Amino acid sequence: MTDVVSVEPRTGGTVEVVAPETTPAEVDARCAAAAAAAPGLEALGRDGRADLLDTLADALEARRTDVVGVADRETALGQARLDGELTRTCFQLRLFGEVLREGSYVEATVDHAGDTPMGPRPDLRRMLVPLGPVAVFGASNFPLAFSVPGGDTAAALAAGCPVVVKAHGSHPATSALVAEILAAAASQAGAPDGTIGLVHGLAAGAALVAAPQIRAVGFTGSPTGATALMEIIDRRPEPIPFFGELAGLNPVVVTPAAAAERGADLGAGLVGSFTLGGGAVLHEARADPAPLRPGRRRRARRDGRRRAGGARPGPAERGYRRELPEHLGTPARAARGVDGRRGRPGRDHRRVHRHTAAPRRGRVARRPDRRVLRAARRRRPLRRRGRAVLPAGGAAVLADRDRAARGR
C-alpha cells in the first residue's frame, strides 16, 4: 500500500507520512456512511444546516494559526496569501448559511387545485430537494477555498448532501487537518456521522466516482482529469451530474503600437498576472514577440478562409494544449522537458509531448515547405539567418518521407 506523504516545496524534502492511500473497501465504507447520513442532514432543515455552516466557519477561524501554518509549509504560498484564502473560505460557508435562511434557492412552486377549461386540476407542488452524497475533488492551487472546506463542499452541505472529498496530492496534510476540524465541528452542530469524509489517492478518486452511493461530482482541475472522471461516470449504470471548473486559455493580443506606447507597463502586468499568488492562479504564460510579417499575414488569411469554409483548423486551434496529468507537473515545466531544455528533441521531450494535444514544438511543420525539401534533396542543411536549423540528415529523412507520401 502506497503512503501519502507531505512534501515541503521550499526544500523538496518529505515532512511526514499523512496516511496510506485509501483502499477500495475504505472508499466504499465512507460512501456508505455518507449515504446513511443523508436523511439526518436533510432532517436538520434549512435553519439547522445554516447553523452547521456557521459552526464550520467558526471552527476554522479558531484553528487559523494551525491551518495556515500547515498549508504554508506544504504549499509555500505564504502566510498573507493563505490568511486571505482562509478568510474567503469562512465567508463562503457563512454566505451559504444566509442563502439557506433566505430560502428562495429551493425554487418552490405551488399550483393549487381548481377548475380549468380542460377539467379539474390537481394540487401540484414542486421544489428542489437534496440529491444525496456528493464527491468533491480538491484543487491543487487553492488548498482551502477550492479544497476540503471550499465552495463545492459548502454548497453540497447547504443543499443537504453529505460530502466525501478526494484530497489533492499537493497538500494532503492540510486536507487531513481541515477534514478533522470540520468533522468535529459538524458533530458538535448535531450533524450525523459521515456528513464529511476524506479519501486519498488517484485510485481512490476513481473508485469514489464509481461508487453507487455518490449522486453528483464537484471537480476543480484540468480537462484531462475531468475527461477521465467523465468516462467513469459514463460507465455507471445510472449517470450522475458532473459540475466541473476546468482550466482554460485566455489569449491576450498586444499590438505593435500598444507595445511601443506602454510596453513597460504591459510587461509588468504580464509578469504580475502569472506570479500572482506564487503562480497559483495562472500556471503558464506564453508570448510570441515576433511581428506579423507579410508572409505570416498571408498564412493567417489563408487559415481564416479554411476555418470559414469548414476545412481543417488553423494553427491557433490546433495548438491548444491539454493540462498535463498530475504526475508530470505543470505544463510550463513539461514544455521544457525534464532536462529543462525548451524545444530540443530528446527522450524526455518526446515523452512529455505524448501527453499534449498540440503538435510537437519545432522549426519544421509536418508538411515541409519548399525550402526544406530543396535542402533535403541537395543533402545540405537548411539555414536561416546564417544558422542551421535542420541538419542534412534530418532534411534527407523529410525528403524521403515526402517522396513516399507522393508515391515517388
Side-chain angles (χ1 to χ4, degrees), residues 352-390:
V352 167
H353 273 286
R354 286 202 296 270
H355 295 276
T356 64
R360 295 182 180 180
R361 292 177 180 266
R363 293 284 184 177
V364 181
R366 291 188 178 183
R367 296 186 63 183
D369 59 25
R370 293 179 181 177
R371 291 187 63 214
V372 173
L373 293 176
R374 193 180 303 120
R377 294 187 185 104
R378 295 175 182 175
R379 292 297 195 269
R380 291 191 304 190
L382 175 65
R383 294 182 176 273
R384 289 180 182 168
R385 297 177 182 176
R387 182 166 58 91
V389 296
L390 185 69

Side-chain angles (χ1 to χ4, degrees), residues 173-216:
T174 306
S175 299
L177 173 61
V178 171
E180 178 185 342
I181 294 171
L182 295 184
S187 178
Q188 177 186 345
D193 293 340
T195 297
I196 300 171
L198 184 72
V199 300
H200 294 274
L202 295 177
L208 180 62
V209 175
Q213 300 93 338
I214 296 298
R215 309 308 303 162

Side-chain angles (χ1 to χ4, degrees), residues 312-369:
R312 63 181 184 176
E317 291 162 293
R318 294 196 302 269
Y320 288 155
R321 300 177 60 231
R322 295 195 193 108
E323 188 173 343
L324 301 180
E326 183 175 306
H327 67 281
L328 288 180
T330 63
R333 176 188 175 193
R336 291 179 173 83
V338 177
D339 58 359
R341 299 176 298 173
R342 178 180 291 277
R344 299 180 184 177
R347 178 174 58 85
D348 293 328
H349 184 73
R350 291 195 299 271
R351 177 176 68 85
V352 167
H353 273 286
R354 286 202 296 270
H355 295 276
T356 64
R360 295 182 180 180
R361 292 177 180 266
R363 293 284 184 177
V364 181
R366 291 188 178 183
R367 296 186 63 183
D369 59 25

Side-chain angles (χ1 to χ4, degrees), residues 121-210:
R121 179 183 64 213
D123 186 86
L124 297 175
R125 303 179 181 222
R126 186 192 69 179
M127 64 181 292
L128 298 179
V129 297
L131 276 173
V134 174
V136 173
F137 283 73
S140 63
N141 52 345
F142 286 87
L144 302 173
F146 289 86
S147 190
V148 177
D152 286 348
T153 297
L157 294 176
C161 301
V163 296
V164 182
V165 184
K166 189 272 177 186
H168 197 280
S170 297
H171 40 77
T174 306
S175 299
L177 173 61
V178 171
E180 178 185 342
I181 294 171
L182 295 184
S187 178
Q188 177 186 345
D193 293 340
T195 297
I196 300 171
L198 184 72
V199 300
H200 294 274
L202 295 177
L208 180 62
V209 175

Side-chain angles (χ1 to χ4, degrees), residues 19-405:
E21 288 191 354
T22 310
T23 66
E26 291 170 334
V27 172
D28 186 66
R30 285 168 175 73
C31 292
L41 185 60
E42 182 179 4
L44 287 178
R46 293 189 291 111
D47 289 337
R49 293 198 298 275
D51 293 338
L52 166 63
L53 294 174
D54 288 344
T55 302
L56 298 182
D58 292 342
L60 290 174
E61 290 277 15
R63 298 286 299 276
R64 176 180 289 271
T65 302
D66 296 336
V67 171
V68 171
V70 173
D72 180 53
R73 186 205 74 197
E74 207 166 34
T75 65
L77 289 174
Q79 296 276 341
R81 156 76 162 74
L82 292 165
D83 256 324
E85 186 178 337
L86 182 56
T87 299
R88 168 184 173 169
T89 303
C90 295
F91 171 79
Q92 289 176 168
L93 291 164
R94 296 188 176 105
L95 176 63
F96 277 104
E98 295 174 7
V99 171
L100 279 168
R101 294 185 178 97
E102 191 271 334
S104 63
Y105 79 95
V106 299
E107 300 179 7
T109 60
V110 178
D111 290 329
H112 294 290
D115 294 327
T116 72
M118 295 184 294
R121 179 183 64 213
D123 186 86
L124 297 175
R125 303 179 181 222
R126 186 192 69 179
M127 64 181 292
L128 298 179
V129 297
L131 276 173
V134 174
V136 173
F137 283 73
S140 63
N141 52 345
F142 286 87
L144 302 173
F146 289 86
S147 190
V148 177
D152 286 348
T153 297
L157 294 176
C161 301
V163 296
V164 182
V165 184
K166 189 272 177 186
H168 197 280
S170 297
H171 40 77
T174 306
S175 299
L177 173 61
V178 171
E180 178 185 342
I181 294 171
L182 295 184
S187 178
Q188 177 186 345
D193 293 340
T195 297
I196 300 171
L198 184 72
V199 300
H200 294 274
L202 295 177
L208 180 62
V209 175
Q213 300 93 338
I214 296 298
R215 309 308 303 162
V217 176
F219 175 84
T220 303
S222 70
T224 302
T227 300
L229 297 183
M230 284 296 297
E231 290 175 355
I232 297 173
I233 291 174
D234 290 341
R235 292 196 296 266
R236 290 174 56 115
E238 182 182 356
I240 56 177
F242 178 88
F243 303 97
E245 181 178 345
L246 312 182
L249 295 175
N250 302 288
V252 177
V253 178
V254 178
T255 64
E261 179 182 348
R262 55 185 192 280
D265 293 339
L266 293 172
L270 175 64
V271 172
S273 68
F274 63 80
T275 57
L276 178 65
V281 178
L282 179 64
H283 285 289
E284 180 179 14
R286 303 181 193 173
D288 183 3
L292 195 62
R293 296 183 294 273
R296 299 180 71 183
R297 291 194 188 99
R298 286 195 296 272
R299 288 196 296 273
R301 288 197 295 270
R302 179 188 64 201
D303 290 327
R305 287 195 297 271
R306 285 174 176 169
R307 289 193 294 273
R312 63 181 184 176
E317 291 162 293
R318 294 196 302 269
Y320 288 155
R321 300 177 60 231
R322 295 195 193 108
E323 188 173 343
L324 301 180
E326 183 175 306
H327 67 281
L328 288 180
T330 63
R333 176 188 175 193
R336 291 179 173 83
V338 177
D339 58 359
R341 299 176 298 173
R342 178 180 291 277
R344 299 180 184 177
R347 178 174 58 85
D348 293 328
H349 184 73
R350 291 195 299 271
R351 177 176 68 85
V352 167
H353 273 286
R354 286 202 296 270
H355 295 276
T356 64
R360 295 182 180 180
R361 292 177 180 266
R363 293 284 184 177
V364 181
R366 291 188 178 183
R367 296 186 63 183
D369 59 25
R370 293 179 181 177
R371 291 187 63 214
V372 173
L373 293 176
R374 193 180 303 120
R377 294 187 185 104
R378 295 175 182 175
R379 292 297 195 269
R380 291 191 304 190
L382 175 65
R383 294 182 176 273
R384 289 180 182 168
R385 297 177 182 176
R387 182 166 58 91
V389 296
L390 185 69
V397 171
L398 286 174
D400 293 340
R401 289 179 182 173
D402 183 68
R403 293 191 191 97

